[in-house]
Amino acid sequence: MTQSKSTFNSVLLLSGTMVIVKILSAIYRVPYQNVLGDEGLYAYQQVYPLVAIVSVVSLNALPSVMSSWMINRNQDTIAALFWWLQSICLSVSIILFLCSHTISELMGDAQLAPMMRMASIALIPLVFISMTRGYYQMKHQMNTIAVSQVIDQVLRVVVILIAIFLYVIMNISIYQAGTIAISGSIIGLSCVVIYFLTKSKPQWTLTFEISVKDVKNVMTMTFLYAISYLILILWQVVDSFTLIHLLQDTGYNFQESIKVKGIFDRGASLIQMGLIVTTTFSFVLIPLLTEQLQKKNLKLANEYANTSLKITVLFSMAASIGLINLLPILNTVFFKTNELVGTLSIFMLSVIFVTFIIMYTALLQVKAKRKILFLALVVGLALKLLCNYIFVIKFGILGASISTVFSLSIYTLVLHLAVIKQYDFRNMGKFIFKIVITLAVMSLFVQLVLLIPANSRVTSLIVLVFAGIIGVIVVVTGIIKLKILKNEEMKHLPLMDKIIKE
């Protein structure tokens, strides 16, 4: 019992740490944009997706795969996998480093090359960190993993703040500042390596004796685990390679293009903040669902699936509509100017579809439906690329938001058609109607609050906080009064068991 409680507390600590990490990764762009401007944010965001992919794989995907894969493997097999994966990562790193100028030109800005070279180095420590985290996860030593995450993220943020400071006092370029900021990831990961080596030094022999099938399976499972975390990042990769070219084709000059792209990139931070809320609530039942499927208790598993979907619909719509309502004042408070509100408002709808995709991916993963996950991702990415060329040429930067939301909606639809074959969802029409009523009332109250005059960023922040609190109160009141969720469903949500008394 004590061991079980200790394990639970460790998992809780790790989950809390990951939320903090997500919040830090979402908000550091705000001071960065405030000092370096939209052009500075553009430069960072062009290269950031590569670093983000490394972060996702080393934080979530590969450690999760390793924690189960290593259980029945001997030391030599584990060592062989390490050297295979390390060889692959090193090869990719060298290719990216050597081709950095070509890649930057493909993005439409050759000055990004030093940042690309710096980002490529982040691949080198990835495998060691991931496998070590997987080992500690297998041993249920979550405290060690949590400390490594804090070291990584805190150092990244500190180096980014140093980049901002140097930009101000030394008048370096946005590209030089961006290179320093990206180096924060290298420094963070390197310090994590040092931290792990102080805990224990692995005694791995140099061997490559492992079946190619094993390596392939690990890479496939890692990709499947990473899909949920990589959605927006992969969409940003498409934008990095297409938007600057397309904006110039529509009549913008280069400087105008990078400024507009920088304003568009503000949306990534806002969406990430919305996703922190939605995913925190939406995933509470997935472990219970998995457990019931393993016990072949299909009725209870289906109930958990229904409740998970309801929670996903409720909080994704609330977060998205809430962000759209608050966007004009959010834009001013966080980013100084209120520009491209229409473009960013459409972009905020991504919260709904990304949350659905994450939930549907989890529901299909527990049923081992891998092919449909690959198919849906390929369809979504292909549509994003195609629609960028169609909509950006026609509507400018607004087209980037339209192409993102449209491609994500089709991605969601493909997964939805697969999910409804696996689960029986009921009584959703009345449920969605209640949500629409609640969000309409919430929007009305929030808009009334936003009528309060705000002549500075400080007063705007006060109004923003007040409007946010009012919005949350209205939504919670609607959930309870309209019985949007049943009592037994609400008790699965954080704090709701304190609010609801049977």
Side-chain angles (χ1 to χ4, degrees):
M1 187 75 175
T2 304
Q3 185 180 359
S4 175
K5 186 176 180 181
S6 175
T7 301
F8 175 78
N9 289 337
S10 295
V11 172
L12 199 62
L13 172 66
L14 183 60
S15 300
T17 305
M18 290 186 74
V19 170
I20 294 170
V21 166
K22 286 180 181 178
I23 292 171
L24 282 172
S25 67
I27 64 173
Y28 69 73
R29 293 181 184 87
V30 174
Y32 198 87
Q33 183 275 342
N34 276 227
V35 177
L36 276 76
D38 293 310
E39 294 88 349
L41 183 61
Y42 142 80
Y44 183 81
Q45 280 293 126
Q46 285 291 92
V47 180
Y48 168 76
L50 176 58
V51 175
I53 290 170
V54 172
S55 180
V56 164
V57 173
S58 65
L59 266 177
N60 308 103
L62 194 50
S64 297
V65 173
M66 286 293 98
S67 64
S68 56
W69 184 87
M70 286 193 287
I71 292 174
N72 299 317
R73 301 303 196 285
N74 60 43
Q75 194 76 10
D76 285 347
T77 306
I78 295 171
L81 179 68
F82 169 80
W83 290 115
W84 269 103
L85 294 179
Q86 186 63 49
S87 299
I88 292 167
C89 281
L90 186 58
S91 300
V92 174
S93 175
I94 292 170
I95 291 168
L96 289 173
F97 190 92
L98 295 176
C99 298
S100 59
H101 189 78
T102 303
I103 294 170
S104 300
E105 286 183 331
L106 289 172
M107 288 181 173
D109 187 354
Q111 296 181 86
L112 295 169
M115 295 176 64
M116 182 60 66
R117 282 194 287 271
M118 184 63 72
S120 69
I121 300 172
L123 284 163
I124 297 173
L126 184 154
V127 179
F128 176 79
I129 292 172
S130 301
M131 292 188 73
T132 307
R133 279 176 172 157
Y135 170 79
Y136 285 117
Q137 192 169 321
M138 177 181 71
K139 297 292 185 181
H140 301 293
Q141 296 179 22
M142 303 301 187
N143 293 3
T144 304
I145 301 173
V147 170
S148 75
Q149 291 177 354
V150 171
I151 290 171
D152 182 16
Q153 196 62 39
V154 168
L155 285 172
R156 288 185 192 208
V157 173
V158 167
V159 175
I160 287 170
L161 294 176
I162 291 172
I164 295 170
F165 179 71
L166 292 175
Y167 177 82
V168 172
I169 65 166
M170 296 182 65
N171 199 29
I172 59 178
S173 72
I174 59 172
Y175 300 100
Q176 291 171 316
T179 303
I180 296 169
I182 293 293
S183 75
S185 298
I186 318 299
I187 294 169
L189 292 170
S190 300
C191 288
V192 170
V193 170
I194 294 169
Y195 168 70
F196 282 146
L197 288 175
T198 60
K199 300 290 290 183
S200 61
K201 294 181 180 179
Q203 304 295 320
W204 288 346
T205 55
L206 181 58
T207 174
F208 288 86
E209 293 181 11
I210 185 174
S211 69
V212 175
K213 184 179 179 182
D214 255 1
V215 178
K216 183 181 176 182
N217 284 341
V218 166
M219 293 179 70
T220 302
M221 288 304 299
T222 301
F223 180 74
L224 286 170
Y225 269 97
I227 283 178
S228 297
Y229 303 94
L230 288 177
I231 300 162
L232 273 180
I233 296 168
L234 293 175
W235 263 242
Q236 286 173 26
V237 170
V238 175
D239 286 334
S240 291
F241 280 96
T242 58
L243 285 189
I244 298 302
H245 294 294
L246 291 172
L247 287 171
Q248 290 180 87
D249 288 343
T250 63
Y252 289 98
N253 62 38
F254 177 73
Q255 286 301 320
E256 290 170 337
S257 296
I258 67 173
K259 180 175 176 59
V260 168
K261 171 68 164 55
I263 298 171
F264 176 74
D265 285 333
R266 296 177 184 181
S269 296
L270 300 175
I271 288 173
Q272 202 166 349
M273 283 189 262
L275 289 175
I276 290 168
V277 176
T278 59
T279 53
T280 299
F281 286 104
S282 298
F283 280 93
V284 292
L285 291 176
I286 291 299
L288 295 175
L289 169 63
T290 306
E291 182 185 351
Q292 295 309 316
L293 284 172
Q294 289 171 347
K295 292 179 179 178
K296 309 228 181 272
N297 188 344
L298 299 182
K299 182 180 178 183
L300 192 54
N302 202 67
E303 287 180 16
Y304 286 142
N306 271 265
T307 303
S308 296
L309 184 62
K310 284 184 177 181
I311 292 170
T312 300
V313 172
L314 172 60
F315 287 100
S316 66
M317 289 181 68
S320 180
I321 302 304
L323 283 169
I324 290 171
N325 274 286
L326 296 172
L327 188 61
I329 197 166
L330 272 171
N331 216 1
T332 303
V333 169
F334 287 161
F335 302 109
K336 294 194 292 187
T337 61
N338 186 21
E339 299 176 83
L340 298 181
V341 173
T343 296
L344 293 173
S345 294
I346 292 174
F347 200 10
M348 292 308 103
L349 293 174
S350 300
V351 173
I352 297 174
F353 297 111
V354 172
T355 308
F356 267 95
I357 290 167
I358 293 172
M359 175 54 62
Y360 282 160
T361 298
L363 291 176
L364 291 169
Q365 279 179 341
V366 297
K367 294 263 190 171
K369 300 297 179 183
R370 298 182 186 179
K371 288 183 180 178
I372 191 65
L373 295 176
F374 282 114
L375 174 65
L377 178 63
V378 170
V379 168
L381 270 176
L383 272 176
K384 168 60 178 172
L385 181 61
L386 176 64
C387 290
N388 262 16
Y389 280 92
I390 295 172
F391 294 127
V392 176
I393 291 295
K394 191 172 180 65
F395 301 111
I397 194 64
L398 175 64
S401 287
I402 295 171
S403 69
T404 296
V405 173
F406 178 72
S407 57
L408 288 173
S409 68
I410 300 301
Y411 186 172
T412 304
L413 178 62
V414 174
L415 291 180
H416 177 75
L417 294 175
V419 166
I420 60 176
K421 293 179 181 178
Q422 303 295 325
Y423 301 92
D424 181 22
F425 297 115
R426 298 176 181 175
N427 304 320
M428 296 301 291
K430 187 177 179 182
F431 166 75
I432 291 174
F433 177 74
K434 290 179 180 179
I435 293 175
V436 171
I437 294 297
T438 300
L439 295 183
V441 175
M442 181 266 285
S443 297
L444 176 63
F445 274 87
V446 168
Q447 289 302 318
L448 287 174
V449 173
L450 294 181
L451 292 176
I452 298 172
N455 301 318
S456 69
R457 291 179 79 180
V458 174
T459 53
S460 294
L461 177 60
I462 295 169
V463 173
L464 171 63
V465 172
F466 185 46
I469 292 171
I470 293 297
V472 170
I473 291 172
V474 171
V475 170
V476 172
T477 303
I479 292 171
I480 297 169
K481 296 297 183 183
L482 295 180
K483 299 188 184 299
I484 293 175
L485 296 174
K486 299 174 185 175
N487 282 1
E488 57 268 26
E489 292 171 334
M490 283 194 281
K491 285 182 177 179
H492 291 294
L493 298 175
L495 303 179
M496 275 298 183
D497 57 333
K498 310 292 184 193
I499 298 173
I500 301 298
K501 300 288 185 183
E502 280 191 310

